[in-house]
Amino acid sequence: GARFTRIFVGYGLSRTTFTLRSSAADNSLFGRPPGTQSTLTLGIARNTLNHPLFPTNGTRHQLNLELNGGLLGGDGTFQKVTADGSWWLPVAEFGRDPTAPGSGTTVALGFTARFGALAGDADRFPFDRFWMGGVQFGEQLRGYDETSITPFGFFPERSGTIRDIDRLGDAFTSVTAELALRLGAQMSLSAFFDAGNVWQDIRDVDPTRMFRGAGLGVQLVTPFGPVGLDYAYGFDKPQPGWQLHFRLGPGF
């Protein structure tokens, strides 16, 4: 119904200036010229999930479109679209007390899919593009270093063989399947499978070429906010292996 659906319309105007370190090359991620960004944002979202952090039932769908430059003015004319969907279904429940909300344990199955694409000239605004790997920056892919999934393949986080700006792409896809054990409203254990990739151009998108990771995770609600630990195995690194990820904040 309408009470679960939201429509967004917004406008933003910003000025970005990058300060280059004296030792950095002009073609680095922060070597972009200054620019004024004029953006019209349109979005629609529908959310019926029964919990913001630990859902066991419901769905969430969101579609956002950004129009930059052109008739809006500013530097750089490009369009950006992002979409995501999540589906959750309870498969077992036990120990629940009807008089105590949030009590008991629920086993739930979840699936999430994300997509993004950018077309046009975003050279002055590199952080509007997409990068992937890890859990802290860009698009999540557990079992891999931060920003290590690039349009040119896998490169470790601190690899000196690729420029930072070449880690960014203009399109990405990712999927996550998860079996979660929700221990009330304060703790969750999960087994998950992630897959994703990033490409230079939307015409290069190939869902059969995905980097894969799988592992176990724990998420807690603490007085300092939500925290999570994931231990994941990256299958498609040159040397497949395990990696530990720490997450802090609401973006589970």
Side-chain angles (χ1 to χ4, degrees):
R3 69 191 182 96
F4 298 114
T5 304
R6 298 290 183 267
I7 296 176
F8 309 92
V9 179
Y11 173 76
L13 181 67
S14 62
R15 175 72 174 175
T16 302
T17 301
F18 296 107
T19 301
L20 199 65
R21 299 193 311 271
S22 59
S23 60
D26 288 344
N27 57 12
S28 73
L29 187 60
F30 295 95
R32 306 296 93 193
T36 298
Q37 189 170 5
S38 180
T39 306
L40 177 65
T41 303
L42 308 172
I44 184 170
R46 176 176 169 81
N47 189 349
T48 64
L49 296 178
N50 61 350
H51 194 280
L53 292 180
F54 303 145
T56 59
N57 195 13
T59 63
R60 185 190 69 236
H61 304 95
Q62 185 163 318
L63 175 66
N64 289 314
L65 174 64
E66 294 182 11
L67 306 174
N68 294 267
L71 296 177
L72 298 170
D75 301 308
T77 298
F78 63 96
Q79 302 78 45
K80 179 179 177 181
V81 60
T82 56
D84 68 82
S86 294
W87 299 262
W88 282 94
L89 179 70
V91 295
E93 187 176 49
F94 46 92
R96 182 174 178 269
D97 182 352
T99 64
S103 64
T105 299
T106 302
V107 180
L109 183 65
F111 180 80
T112 299
R114 297 184 177 89
F115 168 81
L118 183 151
D121 176 18
D123 182 66
R124 294 174 186 255
F125 312 107
F127 295 101
D128 273 84
R129 301 172 69 204
F130 307 107
W131 47 18
M132 179 177 285
V135 299
Q136 296 292 342
F137 308 106
E139 303 304 323
Q140 173 179 284
L141 190 62
R142 290 166 288 188
Y144 297 83
D145 292 341
E146 301 292 327
T147 72
S148 62
I149 307 302
T150 83
F152 305 98
F154 171 84
F155 288 85
E157 184 178 2
R158 295 175 180 83
S159 171
T161 59
I162 186 173
R163 301 181 303 169
D164 286 342
I165 199 165
D166 289 333
R167 293 180 180 273
L168 298 166
D170 284 350
F172 85 91
T173 61
S174 70
V175 295
T176 294
E178 185 173 1
L179 183 66
L181 185 67
R182 307 301 198 196
L183 304 172
Q186 302 296 314
M187 181 177 180
S188 176
L189 306 175
S190 63
F192 57 82
F193 173 83
D194 290 346
N197 205 349
V198 62
W199 290 272
Q200 281 186 292
D201 189 275
I202 188 173
R203 292 168 294 186
D204 300 328
V205 172
D206 181 358
T208 67
R209 291 176 47 233
M210 306 275 266
F211 290 85
R212 301 162 299 162
L216 301 173
V218 56
Q219 300 86 38
L220 301 170
V221 176
T222 74
F224 307 102
V227 298
L229 285 176
D230 297 307
Y231 195 47
Y233 189 89
F235 294 94
D236 299 306
K237 297 185 283 191
Q239 295 183 339
W242 292 93
Q243 188 145 352
L244 183 67
H245 302 283
F246 174 74
R247 291 179 286 158
L248 177 64
F252 286 152

